[in-house]
């Protein structure tokens, strides 16, 4: 009897962390190209133990598409800021005197993203240089302590202590005009910025502007164990639960590492966990809220902007079409990333002008 030459039916499964086919047409095509080449099929940072990641971050980090900004005549230095229980590093970017003169400079304080677990001074290094070059502000990039080693409220407290350190001790050293003070951040950094904006208002500290980019605004949509509540109100958490690079699974991980698993009961109504739950939005600084169309956080960002607007706060809201959560970190390859730079720099220039 002749040996069969038939080939068995192929049975395959999607690559680990692949983008669902139903979502692919809605992304900017270049993102799909790069994501499928460099990220799909690989472990994300939340899928390895925190001990392994801390021991060798470069073994797990994947980056691509970031536009590099020349340092040029910028002066970049690091200083230590004392905080409760230790100290943190703050990186300071000073604009060139030849371009912006030697008068008092406006201030931009940056809080990086990374789910309160990842990230550091390299995360927004290029953006901080860009702001210094184009806006003429002195930029302070805050390397707050990370969870789970330093859980809530430590990252929040570190950011607040950094603001006060800058105001109380750095005005004359860096020739700062503290009447032109802006804060901002991406994702978890947007969350921290939103909270600090409330704290500035409550402490009568003048704040000119808050830049909230793809911010986390409502962590109480998760149960204490980090699972998403079926009653949560944001459609993007349902429609984009399996989006990339920030799916629901990753937000659950961040909730557990930042707040604890289970989340302590005393945090059930804490607005510093969820700025969406703040008792008042009146009197907050002018804001730019940027959301990304293909981001699980999209709808809470829109809702937070509405809360501020309804309270009489001046709010500009921009949604970047076809954009993933970290669109701004791919500004060298994505049109959405270039749009992010245009919109944010323009808003900071206008807000911090004399």
């Amino acid at each position: 009897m002749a040996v069969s030459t038939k080939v068995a039916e192929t049975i395959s499964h999607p690559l680990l962390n692949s983008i669902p086919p139903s979502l692919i047409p809605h992304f900017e095509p270049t993102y799909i190209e790069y994501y499928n080449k460099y990220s799909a099929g690989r472990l994300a940072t939340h899928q390895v133990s925190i001990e392994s990641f801390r021991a060798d971050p470069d073994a797990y980090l994947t980056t691509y598409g970031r536009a590099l900004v020349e340092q040029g005549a910028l002066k970049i230095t690091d200083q230590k800021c004392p905080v409760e229980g230790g100290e943190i590093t703050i990186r300071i970017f000073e604009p060139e005197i030849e371009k912006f003169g030697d008068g008092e400079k406006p201030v931009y304080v940056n809080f990086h993203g990374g789910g309160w677990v990842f990230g550091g001074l390299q995360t927004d290094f290029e953006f901080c240089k860009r702001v210094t070059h184009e806006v003429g502000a002195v930029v302070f990039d805050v390397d707050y302590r990370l969870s789970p080693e330093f859980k809530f409220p430590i990252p929040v407290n570190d950011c607040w202590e950094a603001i006060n350190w800058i105001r109380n001790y750095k005005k004359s050293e860096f020739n700062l005009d503290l009447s032109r003070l802006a804060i901002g951040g991406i994702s978890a950094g947007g969350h921290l910025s939103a909270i600090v904006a409330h704290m500035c208002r409550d402490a009568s500290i003048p704040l000119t502007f808050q830049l909230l980019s793809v911010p986390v605004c409502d962590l109480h949509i998760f149960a204490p164990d980090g699972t998403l509540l079926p009653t949560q109100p944001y459609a993007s958490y349902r429609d984009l639960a399996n989006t990339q690079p920030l799916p629901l699974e990753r937000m659950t991980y961040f909730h557990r590492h930042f707040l604890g698993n289970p989340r302590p009961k005393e945090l059930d109504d804490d607005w510093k966990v969820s700025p969406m739950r703040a008792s008042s939005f009146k009197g907050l600084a002018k804001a730019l809220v940027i959301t990304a169309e293909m981001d699980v956080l999209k709808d809470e960002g829109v809702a937070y902007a509405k809360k501020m607007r309804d309270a009489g706060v001046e709010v500009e809201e921009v949604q970047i079409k076809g954009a993933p959560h970290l669109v701004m970190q791919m500004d060298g390859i994505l049109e959405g990333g270039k749009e992010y730079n245009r919109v944010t720099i323009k808003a900071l220039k206008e807000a911090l002008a004399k």
Side-chain angles (χ1 to χ4, degrees), residues 38-49:
Y38 296 112
S39 296
R42 294 168 173 82
L43 291 171
T45 51
H46 71 278
Q47 293 167 327
V48 298
S49 72

Side-chain angles (χ1 to χ4, degrees), residues 2 7 14 31 74 83 92 104 120 132 158 224-225 233 274 278 287 295 338:
V7 178
Y31 174 67
L74 301 185
V83 293
I92 304 157
E104 288 189 331
T132 311
D158 284 358
D225 68 354
S274 296
D295 182 14
K338 296 177 175 64

Side-chain angles (χ1 to χ4, degrees), residues 15-50:
L15 288 172
L16 177 71
N17 298 323
S18 58
I19 297 172
S22 62
L23 299 183
I24 287 175
H26 303 286
F27 280 100
E28 186 176 330
T30 302
Y31 174 67
I32 298 297
E33 175 190 346
Y34 276 79
Y35 184 87
N36 286 344
K37 184 174 182 179
Y38 296 112
S39 296
R42 294 168 173 82
L43 291 171
T45 51
H46 71 278
Q47 293 167 327
V48 298
S49 72
I50 193 65

Side-chain angles (χ1 to χ4, degrees), residues 70-76 94-98 133:
E70 292 289 339
Q71 179 172 337
L74 301 185
K75 183 179 179 183
I76 303 175
E94 299 175 70
E96 54 186 296
I97 292 175
E98 187 174 322
H133 271 307

Side-chain angles (χ1 to χ4, degrees), residues 318-332:
V318 173
Q319 185 166 114
I320 302 177
K321 301 303 179 187
H325 176 67
L326 293 179
V327 59
M328 65 289 296
Q329 294 185 0
M330 289 169 273
D331 54 334

Side-chain angles (χ1 to χ4, degrees), residues 27 49 57 66 87 104 126 140 147 174 183 228 267 273 275 277 285 295 298 318 329-330 335 341:
F27 280 100
S49 72
R66 170 59 63 86
E87 61 182 15
E104 288 189 331
E126 304 304 328
F140 294 82
S147 303
F174 293 100
I183 60 175
L228 190 69
L267 301 184
V273 170
R277 293 196 171 198
D295 182 14
K298 171 179 64 175
V318 173
Q329 294 185 0
M330 289 169 273
E335 288 305 315
N341 288 336

